[in-house]
Amino acid sequence: MSYFSMFPELQYDAKGNGVVNLQKDIFRRVKVKATSKSNIVNFDYYNVQDGETPEMIAHKYYGDVNLHWTILVANDIVDYYEDWPMSVQKFEQFMFDKYDNPQGIHHYEITQTSGDTTVTVDVGTEKDLVLEDYPTATEISNYQYEDRLQEQKRQIRLISPDFISQFVSEFEKKLSEKY
């Protein structure tokens, strides 16, 4: 079943001339509950490969390209162009367009000294002030910063194939509920 075919229709007078047409209610939103997301049993984790699209992953994982939307919903991806990881080629162009100097300093960071010492803390951008207070601070380039963001986007959740039809049914039911 395709994504928009599940949306209920509403009567809409687009031109304000009294002629009413049926339109899909594309403003309906259904969000996966946080409790469902934290239930590891229902999800598998996946690392998006360079150039992969939700359609490719849905075909590979579910055997059905039309289930691409479940991947977007499960990962709270509303804007595919901003929230989905870029291909290497697109990322390089993005860096060229966004930064005059991709290797320039984006910020400085230090390693957290208590608790989880694998966590880093952004301590600012002003070199003199940062290094005065944190002499061991590490420079993070614009490229490193943006690359980390892309790596975070690459780590997605996929609804387990055992639960996908149940998920689609529940999603369709939620869409049709009156609010």
Side-chain angles (χ1 to χ4, degrees):
M1 179 172 291
S2 71
Y3 182 66
F4 285 110
S5 69
M6 295 183 290
F7 281 70
E9 292 185 332
L10 55 86
Q11 295 182 352
Y12 187 68
D13 179 1
K15 296 181 181 177
N17 61 3
V19 177
V20 176
N21 293 307
L22 288 178
Q23 302 290 324
K24 290 291 184 180
D25 184 0
I26 62 171
F27 295 105
R28 292 279 177 117
R29 293 287 181 259
V30 174
K31 188 172 181 179
V32 178
K33 290 181 183 177
T35 53
S36 296
K37 281 187 190 174
S38 64
N39 187 350
I40 294 174
V41 175
N42 296 333
F43 289 99
D44 291 327
Y45 294 89
Y46 185 83
N47 243 351
V48 177
Q49 301 303 305
D50 182 38
E52 274 188 316
T53 65
E55 293 83 359
M56 296 165 113
I57 296 169
H59 177 69
K60 183 180 355 180
Y61 194 70
Y62 302 120
D64 185 350
V65 71
N66 291 318
L67 291 173
H68 69 282
W69 64 269
T70 64
I71 296 167
L72 301 175
V73 169
N75 290 283
D76 294 326
I77 296 174
V78 177
D79 183 348
Y80 173 80
Y81 298 102
E82 290 293 322
D83 301 335
W84 190 257
M86 296 178 208
S87 67
V88 171
Q89 181 180 3
K90 187 174 178 184
F91 179 71
E92 294 297 329
Q93 185 62 48
F94 165 79
M95 290 301 298
F96 176 77
D97 292 343
K98 184 171 182 178
Y99 296 100
D100 292 332
N101 181 5
Q103 295 308 321
I105 297 169
H106 186 273
H107 68 274
Y108 292 85
E109 59 186 39
I110 59 170
T111 303
Q112 185 169 288
T113 56
S114 62
D116 184 354
T117 56
T118 62
V119 173
T120 59
V121 179
D122 180 336
V123 292
T125 58
E126 296 296 324
K127 183 176 183 176
D128 294 335
L129 294 175
V130 169
L131 294 179
E132 182 179 308
D133 292 336
Y134 306 101
T136 61
T138 305
E139 294 178 353
I140 302 301
S141 71
N142 295 319
Y143 193 93
Q144 288 171 304
Y145 171 75
E146 297 289 351
D147 189 51
R148 285 180 184 174
L149 294 178
Q150 288 302 303
E151 284 306 309
Q152 290 172 355
K153 291 177 184 181
R154 289 188 188 293
Q155 298 167 13
I156 63 169
R157 293 184 236 215
L158 298 174
I159 299 163
S160 173
D162 296 338
F163 295 101
I164 195 67
S165 29
Q166 177 185 350
F167 177 82
V168 171
S169 294
E170 288 180 22
F171 188 88
E172 186 174 18
K173 180 181 171 189
K174 287 283 187 192
L175 271 176
S176 63
E177 287 178 358
K178 298 281 185 205
Y179 51 97

